[in-house]
Amino acid sequence: MKPLLFGLLFILSASLNATSLVEGIIYFKDGKTLEFKDKNRIRIPRKNKEVKAFYDAFASNKQKETFLRENIDSLICWHARTPEHKRKFIPATGVGWCWIYFETPYILACVYAGKGYGISSNGGIEIYKRRGIFSSSKTAYYLRKSGDTSYYSPGKMKSACGKTFLERLCRFVSDDTALCEQIRHSSTWRDKTIAMLKAYQPDSNP
């Protein structure tokens, strides 16, 4: 398994001690919150797994508690060394646990990684990906417009865009004609092209 570097945020390396056992806050759907910091930790979940938290996480007699995914709205997580860099994760319906790349009043963009996520000591996000001879683990972008409940994937998480990827994005934001044209003529990497969606504003909301 190798980490997939996500260039738009922080370029990570193994020396930065990325970990999936982090400090954080669980936000429940009923409005309650539960924070884990200092000696306590949350393990960033992957796929459709439950959330595991550890009390006195580095002790031999640590205690584990499991929280059902369906009761959780979101997680806000950070590396203990850089609490100012917080990362949000959600249990996306029909997809699995995703890291929120960005969200605006009109659109949300996230990344799904089947092998999971880590947070580096510098606060950067690390996307894990297994690369095999015959197969590799899934990493993909997912988008959701405000008011929608389902997620749309324009394609895998990789460097090159390609015409198919650009057309899929353009169709998804076809109600913003100016942005659609900008995307159609984009010649940058996929992560930066996805970031262009921050400007998305439906034509009916000028």
Side-chain angles (χ1 to χ4, degrees):
M1 181 177 69
K2 296 182 179 179
L4 185 66
L5 300 183
F6 204 69
L8 194 62
L9 294 178
F10 295 92
I11 299 300
L12 308 180
S13 68
S15 63
L16 293 178
N17 301 316
T19 179
S20 61
L21 198 61
V22 297
E23 296 186 342
I25 303 173
I26 302 175
Y27 289 84
F28 296 94
K29 291 180 179 179
D30 63 5
K32 296 179 181 178
T33 63
L34 194 56
E35 185 171 9
F36 294 84
K37 62 179 183 178
D38 299 325
K39 294 182 179 180
N40 306 322
R41 293 290 188 273
I42 299 172
R43 186 174 299 283
I44 302 173
R46 63 188 182 93
K47 295 185 176 179
N48 283 297
K49 296 183 180 296
E50 313 300 350
V51 174
K52 295 179 180 179
F54 301 88
Y55 300 91
D56 210 357
F58 304 105
S60 58
N61 61 342
K62 63 185 176 184
Q63 300 295 313
K64 181 177 74 173
E65 187 171 6
T66 301
F67 301 93
L68 297 177
R69 176 181 53 83
E70 54 264 32
N71 295 334
I72 297 174
D73 175 77
S74 61
L75 304 175
I76 300 294
C77 301
W78 60 90
H79 194 288
R81 293 187 184 179
T82 48
E84 67 274 18
H85 295 299
K86 292 177 170 56
R87 307 295 170 193
K88 184 176 181 179
F89 302 86
I90 60 169
T93 303
V95 181
W97 281 100
C98 292
W99 164 61
I100 300 298
Y101 184 17
F102 67 83
E103 54 186 325
T104 76
Y106 299 111
I107 197 168
L108 175 150
C110 58
V111 171
Y112 172 83
K115 295 302 291 184
Y117 317 87
I119 298 179
S120 167
S121 58
N122 74 349
I125 190 77
E126 190 160 339
I127 307 300
Y128 296 127
K129 181 177 177 65
R130 177 181 58 81
R131 304 178 191 275
I133 296 175
F134 300 106
S135 64
S136 60
S137 60
K138 181 179 180 180
T139 56
Y141 295 103
Y142 281 88
L143 308 171
R144 189 189 71 196
K145 291 181 180 179
S146 177
D148 290 349
T149 57
S150 59
Y151 291 80
Y152 171 76
S153 177
K156 297 178 180 179
M157 185 180 176
K158 59 182 183 179
S159 298
C161 277
K163 290 184 178 180
T164 300
F165 180 79
L166 294 176
E167 283 302 321
R168 287 174 181 166
L169 276 185
C170 191
R171 285 198 300 270
F172 186 71
V173 295
S174 59
D175 52 348
D176 185 335
T177 52
L179 179 60
C180 180
E181 283 304 306
Q182 291 178 33
I183 290 172
R184 184 171 279 130
H185 295 94
S186 174
S187 59
T188 188
W189 288 10
R190 286 196 177 192
D191 60 342
K192 293 183 179 179
T193 303
I194 290 286
M196 293 171 65
L197 297 177
K198 292 179 181 179
Y200 168 72
Q201 195 170 6
D203 292 336
S204 58
N205 295 280

